[in-house]
Amino acid sequence: MRVPLRINAPVLARIDRLAARLDTTRSTVLLALVLALVGRVAGSRRPAVGMPVSGREDSEAEALVGFFVDTVVVDADLSDRPSLADLVARLRRRVLDAFDHRSVAFERVAETLEADGETAGPLFDVAFGLQQAPAAPDLGPGLSVGPMSVDLGVRFALEVYLWPEADGLAGVILADGRRASPAAVEDLRRWFLVLAARALAEPDAPLDRLALTTPEERDRVVRGWNATATPLP
């Protein structure tokens, strides 16, 4: 199941301002928003997200043709009701630590934890990635490089991917259709955008204090679904 996602230029500007304030990247701010939403929706105080990272650490690998990508897992502690600014600040350190150890293959980490009995299930079931590859280079007359759409299916319960465009970020939410309906995935898309707008407007407010519902949804719940009055016989 696939739902398009778009973050407009004004919201992206707020993301970049918060990232600059906290000396981190827009990817870390977006990761914080994804983790905050997953925690809210799943009722988890310790949500975890898997992130793809480049496997070309050595300069010798830069000229090689191939798919050099591994996965790191980043979790967040939401038990103390952090604000977005708090969450981004703590994730900055966790992301840097995770990247420092990315040379250890994810499959080896998972196998070791399973063998030691430290995990009874997947280390994460939500994936997030921000594509930040530079524009295609000029290859000379008659040659060009462009993106190609490839359907890899849905590998996790939820996947959120974003990439830069001229007027903000474009992206997609992928969900396992056996575990979520199209309406539920559309709700997630809308809640993510509402949470992003409100958390970026009040980055020092506790995230769990920020409503996910739009005014229209609140009116439907409070008034529409509560309109049970019937005329007396």
Side-chain angles (χ1 to χ4, degrees):
M1 194 180 314
R2 187 183 185 98
V3 174
L5 178 65
R6 177 171 291 279
I7 295 176
N8 62 33
V11 173
L12 182 58
R14 285 184 171 183
I15 290 172
D16 289 341
R17 283 197 296 270
L18 183 61
R21 167 186 155 186
L22 299 173
D23 191 26
T24 188
T25 63
R26 68 169 54 161
S27 178
T28 303
V29 178
L30 288 163
L31 172 63
L33 290 168
V34 171
L35 282 165
L37 180 64
V38 170
R40 289 280 291 273
V41 173
S44 172
R45 291 294 184 181
R46 195 95 191 193
V49 167
M51 297 178 63
V53 294
S54 171
R56 298 177 187 265
E57 292 185 86
D58 299 325
S59 58
E60 292 82 359
E62 291 181 1
L64 296 177
V65 176
F67 188 64
F68 293 83
V69 174
D70 208 340
T71 304
V72 297
V73 182
V74 180
D75 66 348
D77 182 3
L78 305 179
S79 61
D80 59 346
R81 305 180 66 231
S83 66
L84 178 60
D86 292 334
L87 185 55
V88 170
R90 65 183 61 168
L91 282 175
R92 177 183 181 276
R93 183 69 260 165
R94 296 191 72 82
V95 168
L96 290 174
D97 287 343
F99 280 24
D100 283 345
H101 296 87
R102 64 181 173 180
S103 59
V104 181
F106 173 74
E107 289 78 7
R108 183 179 301 175
V109 174
E111 289 171 1
T112 301
L113 291 175
E114 184 176 358
D116 291 345
E118 294 187 29
T119 178
L123 296 180
F124 67 93
D125 213 6
V126 176
F128 164 72
L130 173 63
Q131 176 60 260
Q132 302 184 84
D138 182 3
L139 300 178
L143 296 175
S144 63
V145 175
M148 182 176 68
S149 177
V150 178
D151 185 4
L152 299 177
V154 180
R155 294 161 292 177
F156 306 103
L158 183 70
E159 303 174 40
V160 181
Y161 300 113
L162 292 161
W163 54 87
E165 288 200 335
D167 57 348
L169 297 177
V172 64
I173 297 177
L174 303 176
D176 186 344
R178 298 167 300 179
R179 302 169 66 174
S181 67
V185 181
E186 177 58 33
D187 285 341
L188 287 173
R189 183 198 68 83
R190 186 171 60 255
W191 293 339
F192 177 77
L193 295 175
V194 169
L195 178 63
R198 291 176 177 166
L200 290 164
E202 297 183 80
D204 297 306
L207 283 162
D208 63 1
R209 188 174 68 82
L210 304 175
L212 297 181
T213 54
T214 63
E216 294 78 15
E217 287 177 308
R218 178 174 174 78
D219 185 72
R220 183 169 69 249
V221 172
V222 174
R223 299 177 185 276
W225 293 352
N226 218 22
T228 57
T230 57
L232 292 174

